[in-house]
């Protein structure tokens, strides 16, 4: 059963969403990936958000660009944690998307990752799930150890060159 619901406002957002799906898959976490728009399919956005918890979803990721209100709208209809994933745009490089998602007024928070930060959105979802599932928290510790080993190896290689 999918633990993470991943919504995107348009199929054109999918390239940004892929790293989130990939990292969740790598950790063995099933996802439910959908194209649902806050303004083009508002009824579906409402229905999905309001029913997510009873369908077993534990964390939501919402990717959107421009006037990117999908995360905020979804967060309005659920108590599940919502991670906003701002999509880079042509006009402002994604600053428009970022501000639309991160600057939620008090009362309805949307945890926001960087522009096109799909992998971090997936990792943040895993960290939230790790509170409940020790096996996910353990895998995250191993992931961090591997990252540390790589940086240390890169540093050692650099020192050799200098
Ligand atoms: C938003 O508008 C979507 O999240 C997408 O990033 C942006 C552009 O959508 P398309 O015109 O490519 O469908 O709703």
């Amino acid at each position: 059963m999918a633990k993470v619901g991943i919504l995107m406002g348009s199929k054109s957002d999918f390239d940004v969403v892929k790293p989130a799906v990939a990292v969740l898959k790598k950790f063995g976490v099933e996802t439910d990936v959908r194209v649902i728009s806050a303004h083009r399919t508002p009824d579906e956005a409402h229905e999905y958000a309001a029913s997510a918890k009873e369908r077993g979803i534990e964390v939501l990721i919402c990717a959107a660009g421009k006037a990117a209100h999908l995360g905020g709208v979804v967060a309005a209809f659920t108590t599940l944690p919502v991670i906003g994933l701002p999509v880079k745009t042509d006009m402002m490089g994604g600053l428009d998307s970022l501000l639309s998602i991160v600057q939620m007024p008090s009362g309805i928070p949307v945890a926001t990752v960087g522009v096109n930060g799909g992998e971090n959105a997936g990792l943040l979802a895993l960290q939230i799930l790790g509170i409940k599932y020790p096996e996910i928290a353990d895998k995250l510790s191993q992931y961090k150890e591997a990252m540390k080993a790589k940086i240390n190896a890169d540093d050692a290689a650099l020192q050799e060159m200098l």
Side-chain angles (χ1 to χ4, degrees), residues 124-138 140:
L124 184 54
L126 287 164
Q127 289 185 268
I128 293 167
L129 292 171
I131 297 168
K132 179 175 169 189
Y133 301 100
E135 63 278 15
I136 293 177
D138 288 347
L140 281 165

Side-chain angles (χ1 to χ4, degrees), residues 53-153:
K53 198 171 182 176
E54 69 201 33
R55 287 183 290 106
I57 300 288
E58 299 182 48
V59 186
L60 290 153
I61 295 173
C62 295
K66 301 183 179 172
H69 39 246
L70 180 60
V73 167
V74 165
F77 294 109
T78 181
T79 55
L80 294 174
V82 177
I83 300 168
L85 171 52
V87 174
K88 190 172 179 183
T89 56
D90 291 337
M91 191 188 283
M92 299 179 77
L95 184 61
D96 45 355
S97 318
L98 173 66
L99 295 177
S100 300
I101 296 174
V102 78
Q103 289 285 46
M104 284 298 290
S106 292
I108 308 288
V110 176
T112 309
V113 297
V115 173
N116 281 8
E119 184 164 10
N120 269 1
L123 286 168
L124 184 54
L126 287 164
Q127 289 185 268
I128 293 167
L129 292 171
I131 297 168
K132 179 175 169 189
Y133 301 100
E135 63 278 15
I136 293 177
D138 288 347
K139 282 187 191 166
L140 281 165
S141 296
Q142 290 164 22
Y143 172 89
K144 280 181 186 264
E145 283 303 317
M147 199 162 46
K148 191 168 84 179
K150 185 191 177 306
I151 296 297
N152 285 338

Side-chain angles (χ1 to χ4, degrees), residues 8-13 36-40 63-70 87-89 97:
M8 67 201 93
S10 167
K11 190 165 171 267
S12 65
D13 299 326
I36 292 182
S37 165
H39 43 269
R40 290 168 176 155
K66 301 183 179 172
H69 39 246
L70 180 60
V87 174
K88 190 172 179 183
T89 56
S97 318

